[in-house]
Amino acid sequence: MSNLSEDLVFLVLKYLDEEGYKEAAHMLERESGLYFDMNYFEELMLSGKWDEAEKYLSGFTKLNDNKYSTKIYFEIRKQHYFEALDKKCRAEALDVLTNDLQVFAKGNEELFKEMTQLMTFENIREHESLSMYRDTKSARKVMMKEIKRVIEANPIFRGRLEFPIVKGERLRRLINQSLNWQHMQCEDPHQNPAIDTLFVDHVCDPQVCIQHSPSIENNAKPSQTISYQSPACSVKSSLSTVAQYASRIGGSFPAKNPATKVIEDSDVLSKRMPIVTVDEVTSTITDHGQNHISELAISKDLPSTVIRTLNEGSSPVSMDFHPVWLTVLLVGTSAGEIGLWDVSCGGKMVARNFNVWDLGACSMALKVALEKDSHVSVNRVLWSPDGFLFGVAYSKHVVQLYSYIGGDELDQILEIDAHLGGVNDLAFSSPEGELLVITCGDDRTIKVWDVVSGNRCFTFEGHDAPVYSVCPHIKDNIPFIFSVSTVGRIKVWLYDNLGDRIDYDAPGLGCTKMAYSADERLFSCGTSKGGESYLVEWDDTVGCFKRVYKGLGPNPLSAVQFDITRNQLLAAGDDHMVKFWHMDNTQLLKAIDADGGLPANPHIRFNSDGTLLAVSSSGNQIKILANANGLDLLQGCGNDSIDASGVESETSRKNGNVAEVNSKTTGEATYGEKAWETIERPSQCQSLQLCADVKRTKISKLIYTNAGDAILALTSNAIHLLWKWPQNDLSSSGKATTKVQPLLWRPTSGLQLMSNDLSSTNPEETMPCFALSKNDSYLMSASGGMISLFNVISFKTMRKVMAPPPAATCLAFDPRDNNVVAIGMDDSTIMIYNARLDKVTNALAGHTKRVTSLAFSTSMKSLVSSGADAQIFVWNADEWKIQKSKALQIPDGSKLRALLQIPDGNKLRALSDSDTHVQFHEDQLHFLIVHKTHLAIYEVKELGCVNKWVSDSSEPISHATFSCDSQTVYASFVDGTIGIFDASVLVLCCRIKPSAYLPADISCSYTVYPLVIAGHPQKPTQFAVGLSNGEVHVLEPLESEGEWGILPTVKRNLESSAPAKTTFQGFLYE
């Protein structure tokens, strides 16, 4: 079938669907074999219409076409057979077995024999492999999910599962165009022609009185055209317009600018709309969201309130906020000074003047330059993406790298004599996992340096003027660098020595800086030598721009500075003001003067979440502007430098008398005399130690099965322990309880316990991980070696995949498909592995250090990841693209060292130990973040922090989890204490000391403590802890109490002032 014939079939299918001829459409689908309607097929399957489903399927593939097709037919007939047996319809089951399933017997004799034996079972669930078989509806859903995956993998269905994008009424529009063309050919066209049939071409009958139409030039009103209507009616449009429209459709458009396109017919014409005019057709795209932007809503996100003024010793020329500590601002000045400010209190923490660290190692050119003129200014300051380092580019030759982890100390890391003349810009990039610094300068070169050794990796030459700026990026797994010269020449470089790949001109041919937004859109801002400024969005695939933003004035003295924030805002310093645009609207959104005193082109810089904006001001000042969330951020930080231990949630501040959220040095808060219940004796709670006759080391991972009748643990020596509760008089439900000792499960087959591959790894250096499938049947697990796939029922190792390096560090099953697993790796990547296909289908890059936790949201169709880089990423779980990202605000260096008990000298090690854990709330819209220093609850859509609890004690948090109803957070600490929090406000309401659940000799040693904690999937008050000595304990409140909590009198007071537990709505972001 030719392409045009196929297109015609699709147009007919679209028409049938629009007119409601559903059965005819499905018949055409089957007979043409062009489009497989998965939704229709799923309806047939879920309603048990097996014969109709097979008939529809047969139009696309036959049983023996390939292994995928065979499996599809087998799954359909197998389910039909199971249902017949489950309904006790033996005759129907026998008919399916002998007539439908017999065809699969050849080569699968054992399987067919086993299926035949099912005829002898009174209840098919008595068979070991069908013990998890539920009701018919659930079984059909499970079957359909599997069949969907097989169909998508079947090459026969390639290109047949997606209906082409065909706009509404397309067939009708083509007929309209044909009629209009026929009408144009009429020798005597009528003003209101009547269309009675489509079977023959239209021809206007001769008119008795002919009234000539006026010429196009003098035609004030458009003449009439025709369209296929029901009933027929006249439509207004100039014939000249139609002719121009037809020629425009047939014409070609410049390929260089994809922003120019023709609007399709169906955009502007339906059954009762006129044919599009030439003005509509030839217009170019300007702003796809311009008409729908609420300026009032966007204005609320603008940091427009001046809340701090910082006084520098000289004029600030470059600024950058720390990516993690959102209130720490790095400043470089025209006098060569660098300073670190805590804008929450307006205090300057560190100041350093320029000096060469090792003059003897410098080039002669630098020495001569300094002798002639010792004045050096800063051209650029910039933090590395993880915030461990920052770089300073100076006006003479030198780039210096420092590390900062809090307090008033800066560590000198690396000094590079980088360029002849000034170093105009610098940037950080990690194209292959190793951090590099990229510089450009007056010597017309771009250079790439290793930040550890200081070795030069690449030198890029080709510009014919000084290089003004650089912008590294990674797109589609290809790392590259944009560079712009002072005459506006843009070049693109790959990390090799083969020269520039692309070059083109920036608008205005002047000093220009480029930057990518968080959603992968490319922008630039520059000023020509004549003073004209341009802020544009680019199409980075072809090197042309999509939008030119309006509102910038002439700037003859200096280049306009701009910045981008995550919430779709652009800002530029221009005409003594800060001007804002929404990315999708070229019109100026707002301009503010920041209470006056700004220079002509102020320097500006947002913090990473866009809540604060630093603006350089006259008199060597910097003004800090904030939006509402920025005000909350600064109020939360109080006046304590960058120490996050003083942060409390906005909700708690509003509630006044509510107990203090943060624990003090003693670990006790106060509400009157006591703010929470303390449990310190075994008689105050119910606890059970799970028995095991196996040699164990510390418990690394712990989880309840989804059915709630077992606990699964992974030890540091790679052994899995599965405890199952029996069903008896003390536990009629068979669910986990402290009243009955469970059995350490071993399969009847006599297989050994499930064990992971350790290969040559050091158990102390690995990060064990596992994930249990939704039906509790399969386990993916790793302990530094290969990833193992286990059958939990039989303990069989089904497969081993992905030999390190890199090693897996965390795992999560996609709840929509048990065959899809997200795997976090120690090289910072995330692999999407399809177990059925036995291959990695996607590799996600975003983190800069190992990935430490993964969690899926079913309602948001998202995957949330966290890593040792203290970053949170939200990924679209359909396209596997980044939706949002955010840096966690971690306490300062002294706090981190105290919590991690790492000596001051080992600073980088302390900061790198920033593992985080994520878990979704029951509503699937919020998630819990667990870090050694704090607990926090975020919402998924905008990654706003809803609530936060920061420990002020010296004991780190070892792990935490939601209860099954998400009303409670259970957290374990390194001193053996277990904290129980009200999840709605993150207030501590109960504290369990180790003496309550551990023997006296162990609880007093302070060497045994919970490493992991897990909540029961159905009982919100039950949880289990895995200890550092290999033990597992289950805890529940006393039956007389019914719940964990604070004393009744205190609880009443809290309830009168605290928000309701059942929702996150109304909470203010920190």
Side-chain angles (χ1 to χ4, degrees), residues 465-527:
V467 186
Y468 180 72
S469 66
V470 289
C471 174
H473 192 63
I474 299 176
K475 188 169 186 176
D476 297 328
N477 294 320
I478 300 175
F480 56 88
I481 304 168
F482 282 109
S483 65
V484 190
S485 70
T486 54
V487 296
R489 195 66 177 167
I490 301 173
K491 291 182 179 289
V492 180
W493 314 82
L494 300 182
Y495 290 82
D496 56 30
N497 293 308
L498 300 179
D500 61 284
R501 297 305 204 276
I502 303 171
D503 66 279
Y504 43 90
D505 292 329
L509 302 178
C511 293
T512 299
K513 290 196 173 183
M514 308 183 79
Y516 274 92
S517 64
D519 57 352
E520 298 284 316
R521 295 163 68 175
L522 178 63
F523 299 87
S524 75
C525 185
T527 304

XYZ file of all heavy atoms in Angstrom, residues 465-527:
490
model
N 38.614 36.952 17.831
C 38.508 38.044 18.804
C 38.517 37.417 20.191
O 38.322 36.201 20.342
C 37.227 38.846 18.571
N 38.774 38.197 21.254
C 38.721 37.638 22.609
C 37.410 36.910 22.875
O 36.349 37.318 22.389
C 38.855 38.885 23.501
C 39.617 39.858 22.673
C 39.158 39.627 21.259
N 37.497 35.819 23.609
C 36.310 35.026 23.922
C 35.671 35.584 25.186
O 36.317 35.670 26.239
C 36.652 33.535 24.089
C 35.370 32.722 24.262
C 37.433 33.018 22.893
N 34.406 35.957 25.063
C 33.713 36.664 26.146
C 33.041 35.715 27.136
O 33.018 35.976 28.344
C 32.667 37.596 25.536
C 31.874 38.394 26.542
C 32.447 39.440 27.248
C 30.525 38.094 26.780
C 31.703 40.181 28.155
C 29.774 38.822 27.691
C 30.371 39.863 28.375
O 29.636 40.583 29.291
N 32.496 34.599 26.649
C 31.750 33.714 27.550
C 31.764 32.276 27.045
O 31.994 32.020 25.854
C 30.291 34.186 27.698
O 29.594 34.058 26.476
N 31.510 31.333 27.950
C 31.374 29.917 27.621
C 30.122 29.365 28.291
O 29.699 29.844 29.347
C 32.606 29.079 28.054
C 33.800 29.400 27.188
C 32.921 29.293 29.524
N 29.544 28.338 27.664
C 28.339 27.695 28.203
C 28.391 26.214 27.873
O 28.029 25.809 26.764
C 27.083 28.338 27.623
S 25.539 27.511 28.082
N 28.880 25.368 28.800
C 28.888 23.913 28.543
C 27.512 23.318 28.804
O 26.743 23.823 29.627
C 29.919 23.400 29.550
C 29.854 24.378 30.682
C 29.507 25.705 30.092
N 27.219 22.222 28.112
C 25.927 21.565 28.298
C 26.044 20.130 27.804
O 26.964 19.797 27.034
C 24.837 22.311 27.532
C 23.443 21.871 27.887
N 22.917 22.030 29.149
C 22.474 21.268 27.152
C 21.690 21.559 29.171
N 21.406 21.082 27.980
N 25.108 19.290 28.222
C 25.014 17.910 27.729
C 23.594 17.704 27.242
O 22.640 17.905 27.992
C 25.362 16.888 28.829
C 26.801 17.086 29.315
C 25.172 15.461 28.317
C 27.186 16.189 30.472
N 23.452 17.321 25.972
C 22.133 17.092 25.403
C 22.155 15.794 24.608
O 23.061 15.572 23.811
C 21.730 18.256 24.496
C 20.280 18.181 24.020
C 19.845 19.468 23.364
C 18.367 19.429 23.018
N 17.894 20.703 22.456
N 21.162 14.960 24.850
C 21.098 13.643 24.197
C 22.407 12.881 24.406
O 22.935 12.241 23.496
C 20.813 13.793 22.700
C 19.462 14.436 22.441
O 18.558 14.219 23.258
O 19.328 15.154 21.436
N 22.956 12.993 25.621
C 24.192 12.315 26.019
C 25.424 12.796 25.245
O 26.452 12.114 25.232
C 24.060 10.792 25.870
C 23.049 10.223 26.841
O 22.981 10.646 27.995
N 22.257 9.275 26.393
N 25.322 13.953 24.586
C 26.462 14.524 23.876
C 26.903 15.791 24.605
O 26.156 16.773 24.648
C 26.094 14.858 22.416
C 25.656 13.596 21.673
C 27.274 15.527 21.702
C 25.154 13.866 20.270
N 28.099 15.788 25.208
C 28.580 17.000 25.876
C 29.220 17.959 24.866
O 29.928 17.529 23.954
C 29.616 16.459 26.869
C 30.094 15.182 26.261
C 28.982 14.624 25.425
N 28.963 19.241 25.026
C 29.525 20.233 24.111
C 29.658 21.554 24.841
O 29.195 21.710 25.988
C 28.652 20.384 22.861
C 27.218 20.737 23.153
C 26.804 22.053 23.277
C 26.275 19.733 23.317
C 25.493 22.375 23.552
C 24.952 20.042 23.605
C 24.559 21.376 23.722
N 30.274 22.523 24.179
C 30.518 23.833 24.765
C 30.157 24.908 23.751
O 30.616 24.869 22.607
C 31.997 24.003 25.172
C 32.441 22.893 26.133
C 32.233 25.380 25.813
C 33.946 22.841 26.333
N 29.330 25.864 24.149
C 29.145 27.092 23.379
C 30.205 28.096 23.826
O 30.499 28.216 25.024
C 27.777 27.712 23.655
C 26.634 27.058 22.946
C 25.707 26.298 23.641
C 26.463 27.216 21.587
C 24.637 25.705 23.001
C 25.402 26.628 20.927
C 24.483 25.864 21.631
N 30.754 28.823 22.877
C 31.622 29.957 23.212
C 31.203 31.142 22.354
O 30.778 30.976 21.202
C 33.094 29.615 22.965
O 33.340 29.385 21.589
N 31.310 32.350 22.919
C 30.929 33.568 22.211
C 32.064 34.565 22.327
O 32.549 34.841 23.433
C 29.632 34.173 22.783
C 29.122 35.291 21.862
C 28.553 33.118 22.977
N 32.479 35.131 21.200
C 33.548 36.131 21.210
C 32.965 37.515 21.450
O 31.743 37.714 21.441
C 34.304 36.102 19.884
O 33.487 36.602 18.835
N 33.849 38.488 21.629
C 33.399 39.857 21.895
C 32.753 40.502 20.680
O 32.127 41.558 20.802
C 34.591 40.717 22.361
O 35.639 40.615 21.382
C 35.097 40.263 23.710
N 32.897 39.883 19.495
C 32.220 40.404 18.303
C 30.989 39.561 17.963
O 30.468 39.624 16.848
C 33.187 40.461 17.097
C 34.304 41.439 17.371
C 33.745 39.071 16.769
N 30.534 38.754 18.916
C 29.280 38.026 18.756
C 29.340 36.780 17.916
O 28.307 36.278 17.462
N 30.530 36.213 17.703
C 30.634 34.975 16.944
C 30.467 33.797 17.892
O 31.214 33.654 18.876
C 31.987 34.885 16.245
C 32.055 33.824 15.155
C 31.143 34.172 14.012
N 31.230 33.203 12.910
C 30.362 33.152 11.921
N 29.341 34.010 11.889
N 30.482 32.272 10.941
N 29.476 32.943 17.592
C 29.189 31.785 18.442
C 29.772 30.536 17.791
O 29.569 30.301 16.599
C 27.675 31.606 18.641
C 27.070 32.851 19.286
C 27.370 30.368 19.491
C 25.549 32.814 19.366
N 30.481 29.754 18.573
C 31.019 28.487 18.088
C 30.619 27.369 19.043
O 30.396 27.599 20.232
C 32.553 28.551 17.967
C 33.047 29.471 16.841
C 34.566 29.462 16.742
C 35.061 30.360 15.621
N 34.755 29.805 14.282
N 30.547 26.162 18.499
C 30.206 24.977 19.291
C 31.356 23.987 19.184
O 31.840 23.684 18.086
C 28.898 24.326 18.794
C 28.573 23.100 19.632
C 27.752 25.329 18.848
N 31.789 23.475 20.344
C 32.943 22.578 20.418
C 32.543 21.284 21.105
O 31.780 21.287 22.064
C 34.082 23.217 21.218
C 34.374 24.645 20.865
C 33.710 25.751 21.329
C 35.399 25.134 19.984
N 34.251 26.895 20.800
C 35.296 26.540 19.971
C 36.386 24.516 19.222
C 36.144 27.346 19.212
C 37.233 25.313 18.473
C 37.106 26.706 18.464
N 33.077 20.179 20.629
C 33.009 18.911 21.348
C 34.313 18.707 22.109
O 35.303 19.405 21.865
C 32.783 17.746 20.378
C 31.501 17.799 19.549
C 31.400 16.566 18.667
C 30.273 17.922 20.437
N 34.314 17.772 23.029
C 35.512 17.544 23.846
C 36.520 16.693 23.053
O 36.743 15.520 23.349
C 35.132 16.884 25.170
C 34.385 17.815 26.104
C 33.022 18.022 25.962
C 35.040 18.502 27.114
C 32.314 18.876 26.807
C 34.355 19.357 27.969
C 32.999 19.544 27.809
O 32.321 20.401 28.637
N 37.093 17.307 22.023
C 38.134 16.666 21.232
C 39.004 17.768 20.636
O 38.840 18.941 20.959
C 37.534 15.770 20.135
C 36.573 16.526 19.223
O 36.762 17.741 19.017
O 35.630 15.898 18.704
N 39.907 17.402 19.798
C 40.833 18.380 19.220
C 40.583 18.571 17.725
O 41.503 18.826 16.955
C 42.287 17.932 19.455
C 42.642 17.961 20.936
O 42.451 18.967 21.609
N 43.138 16.837 21.448
N 39.313 18.450 17.311
C 38.983 18.505 15.889
C 38.414 19.856 15.472
O 37.888 19.979 14.364
C 37.989 17.392 15.550
C 38.484 15.963 15.829
C 37.407 14.949 15.465
C 39.773 15.670 15.070
N 38.485 20.846 16.339
C 38.024 22.176 15.971
C 36.543 22.367 16.219
O 35.822 21.471 16.658
N 36.074 23.603 15.911
C 34.671 23.916 16.145
C 33.792 23.204 15.124
O 34.171 22.992 13.976
C 34.449 25.430 16.093
C 34.813 26.017 14.744
O 36.028 26.171 14.454
O 33.892 26.319 13.969
N 32.596 22.814 15.574
C 31.674 22.079 14.717
C 30.679 23.013 14.018
O 30.267 22.763 12.900
C 30.881 21.054 15.535
C 31.731 19.971 16.175
C 32.579 19.247 15.120
N 32.949 17.922 15.520
C 33.997 17.625 16.288
N 34.787 18.597 16.712
N 34.274 16.374 16.613
N 30.268 24.046 14.712
C 29.243 24.960 14.199
C 29.653 26.371 14.569
O 30.246 26.598 15.634
C 27.857 24.639 14.811
C 27.456 23.187 14.535
C 26.792 25.595 14.308
C 26.218 22.753 15.286
N 29.342 27.331 13.716
C 29.502 28.721 14.126
C 28.436 29.567 13.456
O 28.036 29.303 12.322
C 30.911 29.233 13.810
C 31.182 29.305 12.324
O 31.498 28.249 11.736
O 31.068 30.403 11.760
N 27.956 30.549 14.179
C 26.964 31.487 13.668
C 27.037 32.751 14.509
O 27.816 32.837 15.464
C 25.555 30.890 13.666
C 25.174 30.111 14.900
C 24.571 30.722 15.985
C 25.394 28.720 14.966
C 24.209 29.991 17.104
C 25.028 27.983 16.069
C 24.433 28.636 17.142
O 24.070 27.922 18.245
N 26.218 33.732 14.180
C 26.326 35.047 14.791
C 25.247 35.260 15.839
O 24.079 34.879 15.649
C 26.210 36.150 13.733
C 27.407 36.161 12.800
O 28.504 35.799 13.269
O 27.246 36.515 11.618
N 25.656 35.911 16.934
C 24.698 36.338 17.941
C 24.028 37.620 17.466
O 24.639 38.418 16.754
C 25.411 36.581 19.272
N 22.786 37.847 17.829
C 22.132 39.094 17.421
C 22.883 40.303 17.985
O 23.239 40.328 19.163
C 20.727 38.977 18.028
C 20.829 37.926 19.081
C 21.902 36.991 18.643
N 23.137 41.281 17.133
C 23.850 42.476 17.565
C 25.349 42.398 17.418
O 26.042 43.399 17.524
N 25.879 41.177 17.215
C 27.327 40.977 17.024
C 28.137 41.634 18.129
O 29.132 42.318 17.872
C 27.757 41.525 15.652
C 27.050 40.915 14.434
C 27.528 41.578 13.161
C 27.293 39.414 14.379
N 27.706 41.428 19.373
C 28.413 42.012 20.507
C 28.661 41.011 21.609
O 28.481 39.797 21.440
N 29.077 41.505 22.761
C 29.340 40.655 23.934
C 28.047 39.980 24.376
O 27.065 40.664 24.699
C 29.928 41.503 25.062
S 31.562 42.150 24.695
N 28.054 38.659 24.390
C 26.832 37.889 24.632
C 27.133 36.731 25.575
O 28.186 36.105 25.476
C 26.269 37.331 23.314
O 25.944 38.415 22.441
C 25.025 36.482 23.545
N 26.200 36.464 26.476
C 26.276 35.286 27.337
C 25.092 34.384 27.047
O 23.984 34.847 26.768
C 26.302 35.680 28.809
C 27.607 36.343 29.224
C 27.787 36.384 30.730
C 29.179 36.902 31.092
N 29.430 36.899 32.538
N 25.347 33.068 27.118
C 24.315 32.075 26.839
C 24.076 31.233 28.083
O 24.994 31.035 28.894
C 24.723 31.180 25.665
C 25.148 31.948 24.425
S 25.557 30.883 23.025
C 23.923 30.493 22.425
N 22.853 30.703 28.228
C 22.532 29.849 29.377
C 21.346 28.973 29.048
O 20.427 29.396 28.327
C 22.236 30.699 30.615
N 21.367 27.756 29.577
C 20.242 26.838 29.457
C 19.360 26.955 30.698
O 19.861 27.117 31.822
C 20.719 25.394 29.326
C 21.046 24.979 27.916
C 22.336 25.103 27.406
C 20.063 24.453 27.084
C 22.641 24.720 26.109
C 20.355 24.064 25.788
C 21.641 24.199 25.309
O 21.923 23.815 24.023
N 18.055 26.864 30.491
C 17.126 26.809 31.613
C 17.019 25.376 32.102
O 17.528 24.447 31.477
C 15.749 27.321 31.178
O 15.207 26.478 30.184
N 16.315 25.199 33.216
C 16.172 23.861 33.793
C 15.416 22.921 32.877
O 15.591 21.706 32.949
C 15.466 23.956 35.149
N 14.560 23.458 31.988
C 13.809 22.605 31.067
C 14.452 22.557 29.685
O 13.773 22.368 28.678
C 12.348 23.057 30.977
C 12.219 24.522 30.551
O 13.253 25.210 30.469
O 11.083 24.976 30.323
N 15.776 22.752 29.624
C 16.557 22.516 28.410
C 16.293 23.538 27.303
O 16.458 23.243 26.129
C 16.295 21.098 27.862
C 16.698 19.987 28.803
C 18.198 19.766 28.859
O 18.840 19.753 27.816
O 18.719 19.634 29.963
N 15.913 24.753 27.654
C 15.742 25.805 26.649
C 16.958 26.728 26.705
O 17.468 27.026 27.782
C 14.448 26.571 26.901
C 13.218 25.706 26.712
C 11.970 26.288 27.344
N 11.526 27.496 26.678
C 10.391 28.133 26.995
N 9.614 27.648 27.960
N 10.034 29.227 26.370
N 17.397 27.182 25.534
C 18.625 27.969 25.428
C 18.290 29.443 25.217
O 17.500 29.797 24.337
C 19.469 27.459 24.256
C 20.777 28.217 23.980
C 21.736 28.108 25.170
C 21.440 27.690 22.711
N 18.924 30.300 26.029
C 18.718 31.738 25.959
C 20.072 32.441 25.859
O 21.108 31.898 26.276
C 17.974 32.247 27.196
C 16.603 31.657 27.368
C 16.432 30.452 28.039
C 15.488 32.292 26.862
C 15.174 29.898 28.187
C 14.224 31.742 27.005
C 14.068 30.548 27.664
N 20.041 33.657 25.334
C 21.244 34.486 25.339
C 20.848 35.939 25.514
O 19.720 36.339 25.185
C 22.050 34.317 24.044
O 21.417 34.986 22.968
N 21.793 36.722 26.029
C 21.589 38.156 26.189
C 22.903 38.841 25.845
O 23.966 38.435 26.336
C 21.152 38.495 27.608
S 20.751 40.236 27.859
N 22.845 39.844 25.008
C 24.064 40.525 24.602
C 23.805 41.954 24.188
O 22.657 42.365 23.965
N 24.880 42.701 24.055
C 24.804 44.112 23.682
C 25.807 44.382 22.573
O 26.982 43.997 22.679
C 25.106 45.018 24.898
O 24.199 44.693 25.950
C 24.952 46.488 24.533
